Amino acid sequence: MEISVRQMYDIEENGHKMGFLKKFMMENAGAAAVRRLCERVPDIASKEVLILSGMGNNGGDGLVMARHLAGHGARVTVILLGTHDRIRTEESSWNWSILKKMPSVRLMEGCDSYPRPDVMIDAVLGTGIAGDIREPYASAIRHINGTECFTMAVDVPSGLNPETGLAATPSVRADVTVTFHKMKRGIPQRPDLTGRVYVEKIGIPPEAEEGVL
Ligand SMILES: NC(=O)C1=CN([C@@H]2O[C@H](COP(=O)(O)OP(=O)(O)OC[C@H]3O[C@@H](n4cnc5c(N)ncnc54)[C@H](O)[C@@H]3O)[C@@H](O)[C@H]2O)[C@H](O)CC1
Ligand SMILES: [K+]
């Protein structure tokens, strides 16, 4: 079943009000994405992974992935597309503060030149996308598309509108996309951008869908 972005936000909100806090959803989202990544890239411990994280919760999912990937022995760099004081949500800031205590993960706040990794994680933009892509997000997306390496998009390839299926210029072209809870209706419209799509449950109680679906 495909759902709208509005329905996804309402389900998330209901789950949060039930006490299944958004930070738990984010933890499960990042962990599920890493499990899929390890399936697709079995020798992850020998890999250089670059995570490009935006300032919203899509970026927060990327921060969770950084911690899990460090646990798997990967060499992880996170580029936050702004400064940490401009992170927009409590759950994402919370994950950033954990990474600050982890020398095993290289953290950068903004950057002039991007490292060239073996694996790229697109955690730039998710369901919060609105309008034309602004900087520094646009450059980050162009960088992702300019590398040949294996690319995983978190929730939706950045630039693709998960409601309408319309793709901004630029939009990420991913090898795989891991989306959360249920398929958002715009995602299956652009297999050329998403690559293979996995839909992962993130622990939201089914009761959170009552009155929404
Ligand atoms: N579905 C769930 O239950 C869960 C989803 N998670 C993840 O959260 C994101 C949605 O997070 P949100 O903070 O609402 O939005 P984004 O991160 O996608 O973007 C907000 C961020 O981006 C800026 N922005 C928006 N449009 C543009 C643009 N055109 N150009 C540049 N910048 C833009 C905006 O200003 C904000 O800073 C969802 O996709 C999932 O990945 C939860 O982690 C778990 C639960
Ligand atoms: K993304």
Side-chain angles (χ1 to χ4, degrees), residues 7-124:
Q7 287 170 325
M8 186 65 250
Y9 277 114
D10 288 347
I11 292 165
E12 189 185 27
E13 204 54 48
N14 288 346
H16 187 79
K17 283 190 192 136
M18 289 171 73
F20 186 66
L21 305 180
K22 288 179 190 171
K23 66 169 68 161
F24 303 146
M25 300 177 202
M26 181 176 280
E27 183 64 29
N28 286 340
V34 166
R35 274 195 299 277
R36 286 295 181 190
L37 185 62
C38 291
E39 224 173 77
R40 296 299 299 261
V41 185
D43 51 345
I44 198 76
S46 67
K47 300 296 186 195
E48 191 83 46
V49 183
L50 176 59
I51 300 175
L52 296 183
S53 277
M55 305 303 276
N57 275 354
N58 193 254
D61 296 344
L63 302 180
V64 171
M65 288 183 74
R67 171 164 41 81
H68 282 265
L69 284 166
H72 284 282
R75 293 186 303 282
V76 185
T77 300
V78 175
I79 298 181
L80 185 70
L81 299 174
T83 53
H84 70 274
D85 54 310
R86 306 294 295 275
I87 292 176
R88 295 176 68 93
T89 68
E90 191 262 329
E91 48 276 7
S92 193
S93 295
W94 188 68
N95 277 297
W96 177 263
S97 68
I98 299 170
L99 291 177
K100 287 294 280 181
K101 297 171 196 149
M102 293 176 59
S104 55
V105 177
R106 185 172 166 227
L107 296 181
M108 297 164 72
E109 296 181 53
C111 77
D112 301 324
S113 64
Y114 296 94
R116 294 213 168 252
D118 304 307
V119 175
M120 180 78 79
I121 306 298
D122 160 30
V124 175

Side-chain angles (χ1 to χ4, degrees), residues 148-164:
E148 294 296 307
C149 64
F150 184 84
T151 298
M152 171 177 277
V154 177
D155 203 23
V156 55
S158 297
L160 176 61
N161 185 316
E163 180 67 21
T164 62

